[in-house]
Amino acid sequence: MSHSNRILFTAQYEIAFRTTPAVWEFRKDADDPNEAIFGGRANFKLERRTFDPWEVREEFFSIRSTNHLRLYLEDTGLFATALDAFTDLGEWQTLFRSLMESNPVKWSQLKGDFAERKLTLVLRTRLPSFEVQWGKSVHRITLTANSTLAAIVTSIEIDHLRGVEYAFCQREDCGKPYPSRSNKKFCDYDCAHLHTVRRLRAKQRRNRKHEKRVRVLTART
């Protein structure tokens, strides 16, 4: 009897993301986080912390300053076990967005759109090893991620398995993903409100400039 169309498992699952402690330092300091370069090395004397991979992913998309990036790296430890430096924040954010928007089967087709080393790291960091904890009626599957990259990529793959579809906040300095909802352009009320306020203020500035030009032209005539 074929089992090809049967559900593989109904067990509960969790991702165990415990940081690989690391020390980060500037290799190139810059006000723009997309230009800053950080060097990192593991330091197991530091405390290992545990994070929710989805929260780690959400915060990564929200990074807009070099200081925020530095604090993020210090909290989450090694970004990737095969990477001793972190560069090009914006490209990583765009790459993760592309992974969320495309079927994992097609991830390898993203070659040429991103730095080859980054995509290679992603493709090597697919669903990690797992452990099954057998219970009397409920079983638990634990996926182990040992780097920030592994935690983020695994969270994306789990979302694809669950059929979750995402949209991305259209506020210029946000861009965070959120479960897509019809006609919703922003991740939450605060972002929608701030976007509206900014548009209103920009319109008011344009109106004031226009009124000033009119007054100048009127005075000349």
Side-chain angles (χ1 to χ4, degrees):
M1 179 177 67
S2 172
H3 296 277
S4 59
N5 293 322
R6 297 185 63 182
I7 296 176
L8 178 60
F9 58 79
T10 57
Q12 296 180 359
Y13 66 86
E14 63 181 5
I15 302 178
F17 171 42
R18 297 187 66 201
T19 59
T20 300
V23 175
W24 292 91
E25 58 186 15
F26 281 114
R27 290 187 180 175
K28 177 185 177 183
D29 192 358
D31 292 333
D32 186 344
N34 296 303
E35 297 178 0
I37 300 176
F38 289 87
R41 54 184 174 80
N43 185 341
F44 293 99
K45 294 181 179 179
L46 300 176
E47 176 186 3
R48 298 193 68 176
R49 304 176 62 190
T50 302
F51 292 93
D52 178 283
W54 282 268
E55 292 179 359
V56 167
R57 186 181 76 192
E58 181 176 343
E59 183 178 356
F60 187 81
F61 276 106
S62 73
I63 297 173
R64 292 293 181 273
S65 71
T66 299
N67 186 57
H68 187 181
L69 175 58
R70 177 182 61 81
L71 293 174
Y72 179 89
L73 293 172
E74 290 177 352
D75 281 344
T76 56
L78 282 185
F79 185 77
T81 55
L83 195 68
D84 65 353
F86 183 91
T87 62
D88 303 318
L89 169 68
E91 186 176 31
W92 277 113
Q93 291 172 329
T94 304
L95 174 54
F96 289 148
R97 175 170 178 162
S98 296
L99 299 180
M100 296 175 73
E101 293 177 323
S102 59
N103 190 309
V105 173
K106 299 180 179 180
W107 284 1
S108 60
Q109 297 177 16
L110 296 173
K111 289 182 178 178
D113 295 338
F114 302 96
E116 183 176 354
R117 189 180 185 191
K118 287 184 173 65
L119 187 58
T120 298
L121 283 171
V122 166
L123 297 178
R124 290 177 179 174
T125 313
R126 305 301 295 267
L127 284 173
S129 59
F130 66 89
E131 176 185 356
V132 179
Q133 299 175 2
W134 300 101
K136 292 183 179 180
S137 58
V138 177
H139 314 304
R140 182 180 299 276
I141 295 175
T142 301
L143 303 170
T144 302
N146 59 2
S147 70
T148 304
L149 177 63
I152 292 176
V153 172
T154 301
S155 73
I156 294 173
E157 291 192 279
I158 291 294
D159 283 344
H160 279 297
L161 286 172
R162 294 167 56 217
V164 179
E165 295 183 358
Y166 282 92
F168 293 82
C169 186
Q170 294 187 24
R171 199 187 94 193
E172 299 81 0
D173 52 350
C174 181
K176 292 191 298 186
Y178 60 93
S180 59
R181 303 179 295 273
S182 60
N183 300 323
K184 299 294 184 180
K185 298 181 179 180
F186 304 95
C187 61
D188 56 28
Y189 170 81
D190 290 339
C191 271
H193 177 68
L194 180 57
H195 178 77
T196 300
V197 170
R198 287 175 173 174
R199 289 188 61 184
L200 178 60
R201 290 175 177 172
K203 183 178 180 180
Q204 291 172 340
R205 286 194 296 270
R206 289 194 298 271
N207 288 341
R208 286 196 295 269
K209 288 181 179 179
H210 176 70
E211 291 171 358
K212 183 177 181 180
R213 286 197 297 269
V214 171
R215 288 197 300 270
V216 170
L217 291 174
T218 301
R220 289 177 178 175
T221 59

